[in-house]
mmCIF file of all heavy atoms in Angstrom:
data_model
loop_
_atom_site.group_PDB
_atom_site.id
_atom_site.type_symbol
_atom_site.label_atom_id
_atom_site.label_comp_id
_atom_site.label_asym_id
_atom_site.label_seq_id
_atom_site.Cartn_x
_atom_site.Cartn_y
_atom_site.Cartn_z
ATOM 1 N N TRP G 143 21.123 -18.374 -2.672
ATOM 2 C CA TRP G 143 19.679 -18.469 -2.714
ATOM 3 C C TRP G 143 19.213 -19.742 -3.429
ATOM 4 O O TRP G 143 19.959 -20.353 -4.207
ATOM 5 C CB TRP G 143 19.062 -17.252 -3.408
ATOM 6 C CG TRP G 143 19.533 -17.041 -4.825
ATOM 7 C CD1 TRP G 143 20.566 -16.256 -5.235
ATOM 8 C CD2 TRP G 143 18.997 -17.652 -6.014
ATOM 9 N NE1 TRP G 143 20.715 -16.316 -6.599
ATOM 10 C CE2 TRP G 143 19.763 -17.171 -7.107
ATOM 11 C CE3 TRP G 143 17.959 -18.544 -6.256
ATOM 12 C CZ2 TRP G 143 19.499 -17.564 -8.417
ATOM 13 C CZ3 TRP G 143 17.705 -18.944 -7.556
ATOM 14 C CH2 TRP G 143 18.460 -18.453 -8.625
ATOM 15 N N ALA G 144 17.968 -20.115 -3.144
ATOM 16 C CA ALA G 144 17.307 -21.226 -3.832
ATOM 17 C C ALA G 144 15.847 -20.853 -4.007
ATOM 18 O O ALA G 144 15.266 -20.159 -3.172
ATOM 19 C CB ALA G 144 17.434 -22.519 -3.041
ATOM 20 N N ALA G 145 15.250 -21.301 -5.113
ATOM 21 C CA ALA G 145 13.862 -20.957 -5.388
ATOM 22 C C ALA G 145 13.282 -21.920 -6.419
ATOM 23 O O ALA G 145 14.019 -22.638 -7.104
ATOM 24 C CB ALA G 145 13.760 -19.517 -5.902
ATOM 25 N N ASP G 146 11.962 -21.929 -6.504
ATOM 26 C CA ASP G 146 11.252 -22.678 -7.552
ATOM 27 C C ASP G 146 10.749 -21.687 -8.590
ATOM 28 O O ASP G 146 10.075 -20.712 -8.242
ATOM 29 C CB ASP G 146 10.072 -23.446 -6.971
ATOM 30 C CG ASP G 146 10.510 -24.529 -5.995
ATOM 31 O OD1 ASP G 146 11.643 -25.024 -6.150
ATOM 32 O OD2 ASP G 146 9.726 -24.871 -5.092
ATOM 33 N N SER G 147 11.069 -21.948 -9.858
ATOM 34 C CA SER G 147 10.654 -21.068 -10.939
ATOM 35 C C SER G 147 9.574 -21.733 -11.786
ATOM 36 O O SER G 147 9.612 -22.944 -12.045
ATOM 37 C CB SER G 147 11.853 -20.714 -11.828
ATOM 38 O OG SER G 147 11.432 -20.001 -12.970
ATOM 39 N N GLY G 148 8.611 -20.913 -12.215
ATOM 40 C CA GLY G 148 7.578 -21.418 -13.103
ATOM 41 C C GLY G 148 8.048 -21.568 -14.541
ATOM 42 O O GLY G 148 7.334 -22.114 -15.379
ATOM 43 N N ARG G 149 9.235 -21.085 -14.827
ATOM 44 C CA ARG G 149 9.793 -21.218 -16.172
ATOM 45 C C ARG G 149 10.537 -22.555 -16.268
ATOM 46 O O ARG G 149 11.745 -22.635 -16.021
ATOM 47 C CB ARG G 149 10.736 -20.064 -16.466
ATOM 48 C CG ARG G 149 10.040 -18.708 -16.504
ATOM 49 C CD ARG G 149 11.011 -17.585 -16.821
ATOM 50 N NE ARG G 149 10.326 -16.310 -16.962
ATOM 51 C CZ ARG G 149 10.943 -15.157 -17.228
ATOM 52 N NH1 ARG G 149 12.267 -15.141 -17.388
ATOM 53 N NH2 ARG G 149 10.244 -14.044 -17.340
ATOM 54 N N TYR G 159 10.370 -25.573 -11.461
ATOM 55 C CA TYR G 159 11.737 -26.008 -11.730
ATOM 56 C C TYR G 159 12.659 -25.413 -10.668
ATOM 57 O O TYR G 159 12.699 -24.180 -10.479
ATOM 58 C CB TYR G 159 12.172 -25.540 -13.116
ATOM 59 C CG TYR G 159 13.524 -26.047 -13.548
ATOM 60 C CD1 TYR G 159 13.724 -27.391 -13.839
ATOM 61 C CD2 TYR G 159 14.608 -25.174 -13.675
ATOM 62 C CE1 TYR G 159 14.962 -27.860 -14.244
ATOM 63 C CE2 TYR G 159 15.848 -25.631 -14.076
ATOM 64 C CZ TYR G 159 16.020 -26.971 -14.364
ATOM 65 O OH TYR G 159 17.251 -27.435 -14.773
ATOM 66 N N PRO G 160 13.410 -26.245 -9.907
ATOM 67 C CA PRO G 160 14.269 -25.716 -8.829
ATOM 68 C C PRO G 160 15.515 -25.036 -9.396
ATOM 69 O O PRO G 160 16.163 -25.535 -10.310
ATOM 70 C CB PRO G 160 14.632 -26.965 -8.027
ATOM 71 C CG PRO G 160 14.546 -28.083 -9.011
ATOM 72 C CD PRO G 160 13.440 -27.724 -9.967
ATOM 73 N N LEU G 161 15.840 -23.880 -8.810
ATOM 74 C CA LEU G 161 17.021 -23.123 -9.203
ATOM 75 C C LEU G 161 17.781 -22.705 -7.945
ATOM 76 O O LEU G 161 17.215 -22.615 -6.856
ATOM 77 C CB LEU G 161 16.641 -21.869 -9.997
ATOM 78 C CG LEU G 161 15.976 -22.080 -11.362
ATOM 79 C CD1 LEU G 161 15.494 -20.752 -11.916
ATOM 80 C CD2 LEU G 161 16.946 -22.745 -12.332
ATOM 81 N N ALA G 162 19.059 -22.438 -8.108
ATOM 82 C CA ALA G 162 19.886 -21.944 -7.000
ATOM 83 C C ALA G 162 20.971 -21.060 -7.581
ATOM 84 O O ALA G 162 21.317 -21.156 -8.766
ATOM 85 C CB ALA G 162 20.492 -23.101 -6.210
ATOM 86 N N GLY G 163 21.499 -20.169 -6.746
ATOM 87 C CA GLY G 163 22.546 -19.282 -7.234
ATOM 88 C C GLY G 163 23.135 -18.435 -6.128
ATOM 89 O O GLY G 163 22.869 -18.655 -4.942
ATOM 90 N N ARG G 165 24.458 -14.192 -5.312
ATOM 91 C CA ARG G 165 24.491 -12.799 -5.761
ATOM 92 C C ARG G 165 25.139 -11.927 -4.701
ATOM 93 O O ARG G 165 25.131 -12.267 -3.505
ATOM 94 C CB ARG G 165 23.087 -12.280 -6.109
ATOM 95 C CG ARG G 165 22.180 -12.108 -4.914
ATOM 96 C CD ARG G 165 20.760 -11.721 -5.322
ATOM 97 N NE ARG G 165 20.708 -10.536 -6.152
ATOM 98 C CZ ARG G 165 20.646 -9.293 -5.686
ATOM 99 N NH1 ARG G 165 20.659 -9.076 -4.370
ATOM 100 N NH2 ARG G 165 20.570 -8.260 -6.505
ATOM 101 N N ILE G 232 15.236 -11.428 -0.859
ATOM 102 C CA ILE G 232 14.191 -12.311 -1.386
ATOM 103 C C ILE G 232 13.479 -11.627 -2.552
ATOM 104 O O ILE G 232 13.232 -12.227 -3.609
ATOM 105 C CB ILE G 232 13.198 -12.698 -0.275
ATOM 106 C CG1 ILE G 232 13.862 -13.663 0.715
ATOM 107 C CG2 ILE G 232 11.940 -13.331 -0.860
ATOM 108 C CD1 ILE G 232 13.009 -13.988 1.927
ATOM 109 N N GLY G 233 13.147 -10.355 -2.371
ATOM 110 C CA GLY G 233 12.508 -9.611 -3.443
ATOM 111 C C GLY G 233 13.403 -9.451 -4.658
ATOM 112 O O GLY G 233 12.950 -9.540 -5.804
ATOM 113 N N ALA G 234 14.720 -9.226 -4.411
ATOM 114 C CA ALA G 234 15.649 -9.048 -5.520
ATOM 115 C C ALA G 234 15.814 -10.338 -6.316
ATOM 116 O O ALA G 234 15.879 -10.316 -7.552
ATOM 117 C CB ALA G 234 16.994 -8.580 -4.983
ATOM 118 N N VAL G 235 15.881 -11.476 -5.627
ATOM 119 C CA VAL G 235 16.004 -12.761 -6.314
ATOM 120 C C VAL G 235 14.763 -13.027 -7.160
ATOM 121 O O VAL G 235 14.848 -13.433 -8.319
ATOM 122 C CB VAL G 235 16.222 -13.897 -5.294
ATOM 123 C CG1 VAL G 235 16.081 -15.262 -5.968
ATOM 124 C CG2 VAL G 235 17.595 -13.776 -4.654
ATOM 125 N N ALA G 236 13.574 -12.787 -6.585
ATOM 126 C CA ALA G 236 12.329 -12.999 -7.325
ATOM 127 C C ALA G 236 12.262 -12.103 -8.551
ATOM 128 O O ALA G 236 11.819 -12.530 -9.629
ATOM 129 C CB ALA G 236 11.137 -12.748 -6.408
ATOM 130 N N ALA G 237 12.735 -10.850 -8.416
ATOM 131 C CA ALA G 237 12.711 -9.928 -9.551
ATOM 132 C C ALA G 237 13.680 -10.372 -10.641
ATOM 133 O O ALA G 237 13.389 -10.259 -11.837
ATOM 134 C CB ALA G 237 13.042 -8.519 -9.076
ATOM 135 N N GLU G 238 14.847 -10.869 -10.250
ATOM 136 C CA GLU G 238 15.825 -11.326 -11.231
ATOM 137 C C GLU G 238 15.329 -12.557 -11.986
ATOM 138 O O GLU G 238 15.548 -12.679 -13.200
ATOM 139 C CB GLU G 238 17.152 -11.634 -10.544
ATOM 140 C CG GLU G 238 17.917 -10.393 -10.082
ATOM 141 C CD GLU G 238 19.247 -10.751 -9.440
ATOM 142 O OE1 GLU G 238 19.565 -11.966 -9.373
ATOM 143 O OE2 GLU G 238 19.960 -9.830 -9.006
ATOM 144 N N LEU G 239 14.664 -13.458 -11.292
ATOM 145 C CA LEU G 239 14.158 -14.658 -11.947
ATOM 146 C C LEU G 239 12.986 -14.340 -12.862
ATOM 147 O O LEU G 239 12.846 -14.913 -13.942
ATOM 148 C CB LEU G 239 13.746 -15.696 -10.899
ATOM 149 C CG LEU G 239 14.880 -16.304 -10.060
ATOM 150 C CD1 LEU G 239 14.318 -17.260 -9.033
ATOM 151 C CD2 LEU G 239 15.894 -17.020 -10.952
ATOM 152 N N GLY G 240 12.122 -13.413 -12.452
ATOM 153 C CA GLY G 240 10.981 -13.034 -13.260
ATOM 154 C C GLY G 240 9.932 -14.133 -13.335
ATOM 155 O O GLY G 240 10.180 -15.285 -12.978
ATOM 156 N N GLY G 241 8.742 -13.777 -13.809
ATOM 157 C CA GLY G 241 7.672 -14.760 -13.933
ATOM 158 C C GLY G 241 7.195 -15.266 -12.584
ATOM 159 O O GLY G 241 7.323 -14.611 -11.555
ATOM 160 N N SER G 242 6.653 -16.481 -12.590
ATOM 161 C CA SER G 242 6.147 -17.099 -11.365
ATOM 162 C C SER G 242 7.300 -17.688 -10.560
ATOM 163 O O SER G 242 8.109 -18.452 -11.076
ATOM 164 C CB SER G 242 5.135 -18.198 -11.710
ATOM 165 O OG SER G 242 4.034 -17.665 -12.414
ATOM 166 N N VAL G 243 7.380 -17.323 -9.298
ATOM 167 C CA VAL G 243 8.447 -17.789 -8.407
ATOM 168 C C VAL G 243 7.825 -18.140 -7.066
ATOM 169 O O VAL G 243 6.913 -17.462 -6.584
ATOM 170 C CB VAL G 243 9.529 -16.707 -8.203
ATOM 171 C CG1 VAL G 243 10.631 -17.229 -7.290
ATOM 172 C CG2 VAL G 243 10.108 -16.267 -9.532
ATOM 173 N N ARG G 244 8.316 -19.205 -6.443
ATOM 174 C CA ARG G 244 7.841 -19.576 -5.117
ATOM 175 C C ARG G 244 9.007 -20.125 -4.306
ATOM 176 O O ARG G 244 10.069 -20.450 -4.844
ATOM 177 C CB ARG G 244 6.724 -20.609 -5.190
ATOM 178 C CG ARG G 244 7.189 -21.991 -5.636
ATOM 179 C CD ARG G 244 6.075 -23.029 -5.577
ATOM 180 N NE ARG G 244 6.621 -24.372 -5.826
ATOM 181 C CZ ARG G 244 5.870 -25.475 -5.835
ATOM 182 N NH1 ARG G 244 4.569 -25.401 -5.623
ATOM 183 N NH2 ARG G 244 6.436 -26.665 -6.041
ATOM 184 N N ASN G 245 8.793 -20.212 -2.991
ATOM 185 C CA ASN G 245 9.759 -20.832 -2.071
ATOM 186 C C ASN G 245 11.158 -20.221 -2.202
ATOM 187 O O ASN G 245 12.156 -20.938 -2.241
ATOM 188 C CB ASN G 245 9.838 -22.346 -2.308
ATOM 189 C CG ASN G 245 8.540 -23.059 -2.022
ATOM 190 O OD1 ASN G 245 7.729 -22.594 -1.211
ATOM 191 N ND2 ASN G 245 8.311 -24.184 -2.694
ATOM 192 N N VAL G 246 11.217 -18.892 -2.277
ATOM 193 C CA VAL G 246 12.522 -18.239 -2.326
ATOM 194 C C VAL G 246 13.150 -18.268 -0.934
ATOM 195 O O VAL G 246 12.554 -17.803 0.036
ATOM 196 C CB VAL G 246 12.397 -16.787 -2.817
ATOM 197 C CG1 VAL G 246 13.781 -16.136 -2.875
ATOM 198 C CG2 VAL G 246 11.728 -16.735 -4.175
ATOM 199 N N ARG G 247 14.348 -18.826 -0.846
ATOM 200 C CA ARG G 247 15.078 -18.894 0.420
ATOM 201 C C ARG G 247 16.459 -18.307 0.221
ATOM 202 O O ARG G 247 17.083 -18.531 -0.827
ATOM 203 C CB ARG G 247 15.158 -20.340 0.921
ATOM 204 C CG ARG G 247 13.817 -20.905 1.351
ATOM 205 C CD ARG G 247 13.929 -22.350 1.826
ATOM 206 N NE ARG G 247 12.686 -22.839 2.403
ATOM 207 C CZ ARG G 247 11.669 -23.305 1.699
ATOM 208 N NH1 ARG G 247 11.753 -23.350 0.371
ATOM 209 N NH2 ARG G 247 10.560 -23.721 2.302
#
Side-chain angles (χ1 to χ4, degrees):
W143 59 267
D146 295 333
S147 173
R149 295 181 175 179
Y159 185 69
L161 295 172
R165 69 185 305 273
I232 289 174
V235 169
E238 288 182 1
L239 293 178
S242 299
V243 181
R244 71 175 188 180
N245 297 333
V246 181
R247 292 179 172 82

